[in-house]
Amino acid sequence: MKMNKTLLTLSLAAATLPSLSSAGEVEVLHWWTSGGEAKSVQELKAMLEEQGHSWKDFAVAGGGGESAMTVLKTRAVSGNPPSAAQIKGHDIQEWGGLGFLTNLDDVAQSGGWDASVPSMVTDVMKFNGEYVAVPVNVHRVNWLWANPEVLKKAGVEVPKTLDDFFAAAEKIKAAGFIPLAHGGQPWQDATVFEAIALDVLGSDDYRKAFVDLDMDTLSGDKMVEVFTKFQKVHDYIDANSPGRDWNVATSMVINGEAAMQIMGDWAKGEFTAAGKVPGKDYICAPAPGTDGQFTHNVDSFAFFEIKDETNVAAQKALAATILDKKFQEVFNLNKGSIPVRTDMDMSAFDQCALDSMASFKATAKTGDLVPSMAHGMSTTSYAQGAIYDVVTNFFNDPKADPKEAAQKLAKAVKAAI
């Protein structure tokens, strides 16, 4: 990694104490352009400006950030990168390997990041053992969202296992409701698939499959069972599923058209926006069979090497502020996620978030905290794309053979790595 010696010797005090001599500017690339996310960005901007620095917004609209990444590549290659950019998972390693990222170890040490953030998360933020990125939040992906009124009308309880789910789904269907609200898009198919895989494989074999990309696990008997159960789920979604956005599927649960949805905790923002209260108007529960496990999706900012010393001071102040407890609370209350720090006062958060934080802390100790394949945390974008293709093609082919699918999965991943 290229390193600017001046950057490494600047103290955190110089970065965080506002003064005319150290006032710098940060340019921040992100795609949080609507709703609670935009409010959170404004809070981060205000907190930075309180320290005497200025914020140059570099917002590029577009769901998963594909457009933003295209713009970032152009800027970085031309030698004019922003101070920080919204990058996560293995993409951080790729940017680090290209020599574009800068060392944040002094900020991390002063802020006690290693002590307040689980190593499962901090490991992703480091390149060659050095901090180059800062985590913003933790999304739990393996959630089941349910409408209690629909469950009551169908005479069923919230399913705790996949067998419970299939039994409940039959009754819900018979009562005239859609058992599972689903959007037929590759990433949504993968979200349901990985929840089933987490249950069937268990945490260790889930990691072997989607982190280690172990061919025997990807093609083995347990993976055949994953595909078999995944195929059965298709019986309980509606014919209008293809192409549906995730938030439209969430609204089906909110409106009582569908009973359940398997989706990350960003879905909670939709319930909140609709004025719904957890425990009363909707239920949040672990995806069937995954109680005691936690699939994580961590948003983060990677920090680029820049030359201007005053801007470097502002850059370090930004890094420190992202993990500031005040910002962690405001951001995550708006986003539906939980703070990435485990030493937070959670009194302002709802029951779903409290359950999520308790599980996050517990699974970090038991080895059941695993990175999401569907959301780019467990492997490269190339391997993820190969998995998406196999999973979606299988899900949309009623005659697909689970054993063949497992073989195809292993071959596709092998070709991608």
Side-chain angles (χ1 to χ4, degrees):
M1 186 192 309
K2 291 193 312 183
M3 283 293 162
N4 181 323
K5 289 181 182 176
T6 309
L7 184 154
L8 288 170
T9 54
L10 276 169
S11 69
L12 182 62
T16 56
L17 289 175
S19 72
L20 291 175
S21 61
S22 70
E25 178 182 81
V26 289
E27 185 181 17
V28 184
L29 172 65
H30 64 91
W31 56 88
W32 288 328
T33 56
S34 63
E37 294 175 340
K39 282 184 193 172
S40 300
V41 170
Q42 288 305 308
E43 180 70 20
L44 184 57
K45 177 183 176 182
M47 289 177 71
L48 193 73
E49 288 173 345
E50 282 172 13
Q51 298 172 55
H53 302 295
S54 60
W55 172 289
K56 185 177 180 183
D57 207 50
F58 185 6
V60 181
E66 291 83 2
S67 301
M69 289 304 99
T70 303
V71 176
L72 177 60
K73 284 169 188 171
T74 304
R75 285 279 304 273
V77 170
S78 67
N80 182 32
S83 309
Q86 189 181 344
I87 301 172
K88 70 178 186 179
H90 278 254
D91 287 349
I92 295 169
Q93 306 305 308
E94 290 183 21
W95 282 102
L98 292 170
F100 285 111
L101 303 183
T102 197
N103 187 313
L104 299 170
D105 280 353
D106 54 344
V107 188
Q109 192 170 355
S110 296
W113 294 0
D114 282 340
S116 60
V117 181
S119 60
M120 169 68 78
V121 176
T122 58
D123 287 349
V124 181
M125 303 300 133
K126 296 175 182 178
F127 177 74
N128 284 346
E130 299 171 345
Y131 275 101
V132 294
V134 185
V136 187
N137 64 342
V138 177
H139 283 294
R140 186 182 193 179
V141 182
N142 58 315
W143 274 119
L144 179 79
W145 306 93
N147 184 313
E149 199 60 36
V150 175
L151 297 184
K152 188 179 177 183
K153 286 176 182 175
V156 299
E157 301 286 329
V158 177
K160 292 184 178 178
T161 67
L162 275 173
D163 286 342
D164 290 346
F165 172 82
F166 293 129
E170 280 295 331
K171 291 183 179 179
I172 293 163
K173 202 172 179 180
F177 300 98
I178 298 164
L180 188 70
H182 183 66
Q185 297 171 339
W187 73 268
Q188 293 190 65
D189 294 341
T191 297
V192 175
F193 179 80
E194 78 174 10
I196 295 169
L198 185 60
D199 171 30
V200 174
L201 299 176
S203 302
D204 290 342
D205 280 352
Y206 174 98
R207 265 191 294 270
K208 280 185 188 175
F210 302 123
V211 177
D212 303 336
L213 305 180
D214 177 73
M215 293 300 139
D216 289 340
T217 309
L218 287 167
S219 62
D221 290 343
K222 277 189 176 181
M223 191 61 76
V224 175
E225 186 184 343
V226 173
F227 276 105
T228 302
K229 291 186 173 177
F230 182 55
Q231 190 172 48
K232 193 173 179 182
V233 166
H234 201 281
D235 295 340
Y236 303 109
I237 64 176
D238 65 299
N240 295 323
S241 173
R244 178 188 288 141
D245 287 333
W246 70 269
N247 54 317
V248 177
T250 306
S251 71
M252 292 166 64
V253 179
I254 293 171
N255 299 331
E257 186 183 346
M260 300 174 281
Q261 180 186 23
I262 293 172
M263 186 53 61
D265 51 21
W266 47 90
K268 189 172 68 173
E270 298 298 303
F271 288 96
T272 303
K276 303 299 181 183
V277 178
K280 177 189 168 194
D281 304 310
Y282 68 96
I283 296 165
C284 54
T290 68
D291 189 16
Q293 295 168 292
F294 191 116
T295 318
H296 72 73
N297 176 23
V298 178
D299 287 316
S300 54
F301 282 97
F303 283 70
F304 285 74
E305 188 169 345
I306 56 176
K307 293 173 183 174
D308 184 283
E309 290 184 22
T310 56
N311 290 347
V312 167
Q315 184 186 48
K316 286 177 174 279
L318 174 65
T321 304
I322 288 170
L323 276 176
D324 179 271
K325 288 184 178 182
K326 180 186 172 188
F327 176 70
Q328 283 280 305
E329 178 172 304
V330 171
F331 181 86
N332 288 290
L333 284 171
N334 283 325
K335 189 92 161 44
S337 45
I338 59 170
V340 74
R341 299 181 64 120
T342 55
D343 58 352
M344 293 283 294
D345 174 5
M346 294 290 288
S347 57
F349 289 82
D350 64 25
Q351 193 59 49
C352 296
L354 294 175
D355 291 348
S356 189
M357 180 59 89
S359 182
F360 180 53
K361 289 180 179 178
T363 56
K365 294 175 182 174
T366 61
D368 293 302
L369 178 64
V370 300
S372 170
M373 169 276 294
H375 297 273
M377 297 304 300
S378 75
T379 187
T380 66
S381 56
Y382 310 109
Q384 182 197 46
I387 296 168
Y388 272 21
D389 288 345
V390 174
V391 166
T392 289
N393 289 337
F394 173 84
F395 199 54
N396 291 305
D397 179 2
K399 295 180 181 176
D401 177 71
K403 192 166 186 177
E404 280 181 22
Q407 297 290 335
K408 282 181 183 175
L409 184 65
K411 286 177 184 173
V413 169
K414 191 172 185 179
I417 58 177

